[in-house]
Amino acid sequence: MNTPAAPAVQHDRILVLDFGSQVTQLIARRLREAGVYCEIWPYTASEARIRAFAPKGIILSGGPASVTEGESPRAPQAVFEMGLPILGICYGQQTLAHQLGGTVESGHAREFGRAFIDVTGECAITQGVWAKGGREQVWMSHGDRITQLPPGFRVVAASEGAPFALIADDARHFYGTMFHPEVVHTPHGAALLANFARLAGCQGDWTMKAFRAEAIARIRAQVGGGKVICGLSGGVDSSVAAVLLHEAIGDQLTCIYVDHGLMRHGESEQVVATFRDRFNIKLVHRDASELFLGQLSGVTDPEVKRKTIGRLFIEVFEEEQAKLGGADFLAQGTLYPDVIESVSATGGPSVTIKSHHNVGGLPAHMRMQLVEPLRELFKDEVRVLGRELGMPEEIVGRHPFPGPGLAIRIPGEVTREKADLLRQVDRIYLEEIRNAGLYDAIWQAFAVLLPVRSVGVMGDGRTYESACALRAVTSTDGMTADVYPYDMAFLTRVASRIVNEVRGVNRVTYDITSKPPGTIEWE
Ligand code: XMP
């Protein structure tokens, strides 16, 4: 099992140099959907590092700066001399034009949102996608514009507001778009990006099947005969990481599941059944609910709750790993969005809205090397990998669940009784969502137990019991979220089941706050 791995196949790759656009990650998503491996690096990457990465093509992303400002970012000049195809998007187009001898000016009409452009020519990236003479919808977001093309370039598509909407230098394979091909509001944008990748020579053979085989080889090469421990949270990322690791190194892996007693109904049992019984993974299930609930007694401040849970989690995890006699490696389900080196547009520190507690936050003194087999993947790719590994849909397709669990869905003091009550409400709510076939259309749905009691009437009697709130949102990354628009019949059905079946709850409300200004969780 521990034979050294053959070096992983090097797939064709595209490098995305990031100038800080909000949508840079979508460039990577679109390329990967086309089977092309790519990475996002800050525009400050050195020439040596870029050459070592050996990309087949380079994309310069959009960004918030203005090329006309003296201090604004530039692509490393060397990228234009590597003989590689280059695509500049929005700010990337402007810096490309500026750096190659064109002129960019500010002060023109700003254009944001949906726009239509006329396709006046053809080039390699429009082939089979846009026909000459056509009119195409694109997503614009720009203030500055090119006023004089650099030598060698010509216009392929234009509009009155964007005379250089798409430009091409066929000889060098340099392209620039004033619009964002990576967003869905540019309907054929993904095909334009795929064309760029193909013309750069990318085969489109980066599939999850290939990733799985390579990841296993890499894990074996890194771990050798060492012992690995992995913290399981019941969530998608750590679960997929565990199954992948197990496939690579079998019994050298032990998973530790710290059960804080704040999981949803039936989830702890499911974690144990899935990993221990179905996948045969060595699993330590530590029921630490007494400890967590004891220390949370009297705590009402949301941040103190989070910090208490984070601290206890580490204590218990350390205890359990010491019992195992330590390990050489700690495995984590870190994802690509967590490791992308960010280009801070403003340079200012951002405000901490909530301190996130994750399995990742283990202290340095644990001195184990990290194994992070998912660090190249986006969340939806992790789900695809999970399916590829034969994992059950209930785990792979599961909604995100916060590390501190139900504690942050019980405003005020958390007690075992309240957690039990919330679990009942939450179970009914999720059951109804599944029965209605809505689970996969929703990013996250859960119930919140409110610290309020209200008067009700049941039969002939007066009740004075707890109120709960239901929440359901759609989102792509949890950064922003919209309220899920249930129909009233669904909501009233759920409310009636909850009030009838859960003793202690007599009122149900639906949270209709989007994010921002609300957050998804209540604390
Ligand atoms: P908010 O409430 O900040 O949540 O809008 C955004 C997303 O993050 C999840 N969340 C957490 N996930 N540890 C986690 O692993 C945490 O401490 C935590 N707090 C919030 C939340 O469920 C939503 O998906």
Side-chain angles (χ1 to χ4, degrees):
M1 178 148 280
N2 298 316
T3 42
V9 191
Q10 168 122 340
H11 288 274
D12 305 325
R13 59 228 353 239
I14 296 283
L15 178 62
V16 180
L17 288 177
D18 182 25
F19 289 91
S21 157
Q22 300 289 320
V23 290
T24 300
Q25 287 195 17
L26 295 179
I27 304 172
R29 303 287 294 270
R30 298 289 97 83
L31 290 170
R32 288 172 175 215
E33 282 161 14
V36 176
Y37 183 71
C38 63
E39 290 189 13
I40 301 170
W41 293 3
Y43 68 89
T44 48
S46 71
E47 180 187 344
R49 192 176 163 209
I50 295 172
R51 284 190 188 278
F53 183 65
K56 295 245 166 170
I58 294 179
I59 295 181
L60 310 175
S61 86
S66 166
V67 169
T68 57
E69 288 159 10
E71 296 292 286
S72 57
R74 296 283 172 266
Q77 196 67 30
V79 301
F80 300 110
E81 284 137 32
M82 290 181 181
L84 297 174
I86 297 181
L87 170 63
I89 295 173
C90 213
Y91 183 85
Q93 182 205 37
Q94 289 160 16
T95 197
L96 169 141
H98 175 85
Q99 291 183 252
L100 294 176
T103 312
V104 178
E105 284 178 10
S106 54
H108 291 272
R110 295 156 76 85
E111 210 178 350
F112 289 101
R114 184 168 293 128
F116 285 88
I117 58 174
D118 296 311
V119 184
T120 55
E122 291 168 342
C123 71
I125 67 168
T126 59
Q127 231 172 50
V129 183
W130 283 356
K132 186 174 172 181
R135 197 170 165 75
E136 296 290 341
Q137 182 187 316
V138 296
W139 190 258
M140 290 284 186
S141 167
H142 64 87
D144 298 346
R145 75 154 75 144
I146 298 171
T147 49
Q148 195 195 326
L149 283 178
F153 279 83
R154 66 192 173 85
V155 175
V156 180
S159 71
E160 203 169 311
F164 300 103
L166 171 59
I167 58 172
D169 173 341
D170 308 280
R172 289 183 287 181
H173 287 313
F174 289 173
Y175 305 88
T177 65
M178 225 165 151
F179 58 90
H180 286 277
E182 68 274 34
V183 304
V184 290
H185 315 285
T186 300
H188 299 117
L192 298 176
L193 287 168
N195 265 356
F196 174 75
R198 295 290 174 270
L199 99 95
C202 297
Q203 301 297 323
D205 58 359
W206 190 76
T207 60
M208 254 330 133
K209 201 177 167 68
F211 178 87
R212 172 189 186 174
E214 286 159 31
I216 286 171
R218 264 195 307 243
I219 293 167
R220 288 182 184 156
Q222 185 190 359
V223 168
K227 272 169 70 178
V228 181
I229 55 172
C230 176
L232 267 187
S233 68
V236 181
D237 309 340
S238 63
S239 300
V240 173
V243 173
L244 181 67
L245 279 153
H246 184 250
E247 188 159 313
I249 56 167
D251 275 354
Q252 286 165 252
L253 170 74
T254 307
C255 290
I256 299 178
Y257 172 49
V258 176
D259 185 351
H260 48 28
L262 296 159
M263 298 297 283
R264 295 183 126 143
H265 173 82
E267 259 181 4
S268 290
E269 294 78 359
Q270 196 196 24
V271 168
V272 175
T274 307
F275 292 92
R276 197 181 276 162
D277 306 339
R278 171 159 177 183
F279 283 100
N280 262 318
I281 295 176
K282 282 200 270 177
L283 172 70
V284 175
H285 173 204
R286 166 79 179 268
D287 178 356
S289 56
E290 292 274 323
L291 175 71
F292 278 83
L293 290 167
Q295 299 253 331
L296 285 171
S297 153
V299 178
T300 53
D301 181 86
E303 276 301 290
V304 180
K305 270 188 201 173
R306 283 172 169 274
K307 297 226 160 82
T308 305
I309 293 170
R311 174 176 56 76
L312 291 175
F313 181 87
I314 290 166
E315 277 175 32
V316 176
F317 194 89
E318 280 198 279
E319 260 175 50
E320 291 302 325
Q321 73 101 18
K323 282 191 210 159
L324 291 169
D328 310 295
F329 297 90
L330 176 69
Q332 293 184 342
T334 315
L335 302 192
Y336 194 47
D338 307 324
V339 300
I340 295 175
E341 301 160 64
S342 70
V343 173
S344 170
T346 56
S350 56
V351 185
T352 303
I353 308 287
K354 297 175 186 182
S355 60
H356 275 207
H357 144 71
N358 282 319
V359 181
L362 293 171
H365 71 257
M366 287 184 77
R367 258 195 258 115
M368 283 180 279
Q369 284 187 59
L370 288 182
V371 188
E372 297 177 309
L374 310 180
R375 55 181 286 134
E376 283 141 359
L377 303 185
F378 289 103
K379 186 101 186 172
D380 50 350
E381 294 172 331
V382 172
R383 294 201 160 107
V384 177
L385 176 61
R387 291 186 187 110
E388 176 71 35
L389 288 162
M391 296 177 65
E393 197 55 36
E394 311 95 79
I395 292 189
V396 170
R398 179 174 281 178
H399 289 172
F401 187 69
L406 301 182
I408 58 170
R409 295 176 179 173
I410 302 176
E413 188 187 9
V414 180
T415 62
R416 192 180 286 274
E417 293 66 38
K418 287 188 193 171
D420 287 342
L421 201 59
L422 178 55
R423 267 189 278 267
Q424 291 182 57
V425 174
D426 191 69
R427 179 183 60 78
I428 293 171
Y429 180 36
L430 277 133
E431 206 171 278
E432 287 295 327
I433 290 174
R434 286 210 167 85
N435 289 346
L438 299 175
Y439 189 83
D440 293 336
I442 296 169
W443 163 267
Q444 222 172 345
F446 54 87
V448 177
L449 185 69
L450 301 180
V452 206
R453 290 206 286 171
S454 77
V455 175
V457 54
M458 260 195 129
D460 293 331
R462 172 188 188 272
T463 59
Y464 185 55
E465 291 173 340
S466 292
C468 69
L470 306 179
R471 183 118 172 96
V473 294
T474 55
S475 177
T476 50
D477 53 10
M479 303 296 286
T480 60
D482 290 313
V483 176
Y484 187 78
Y486 288 123
D487 64 49
M488 247 333 151
F490 174 85
L491 285 172
T492 48
R493 185 164 71 241
V494 176
S496 135
R497 267 200 70 190
I498 290 171
V499 172
N500 281 306
E501 294 176 35
V502 183
R503 272 191 78 167
V505 173
N506 69 350
R507 193 171 293 268
V508 179
T509 65
Y510 187 51
D511 178 355
I512 52 167
T513 322
S514 62
K515 172 182 181 175
T519 53
I520 296 176
E521 304 289 347
W522 274 46
E523 292 193 330

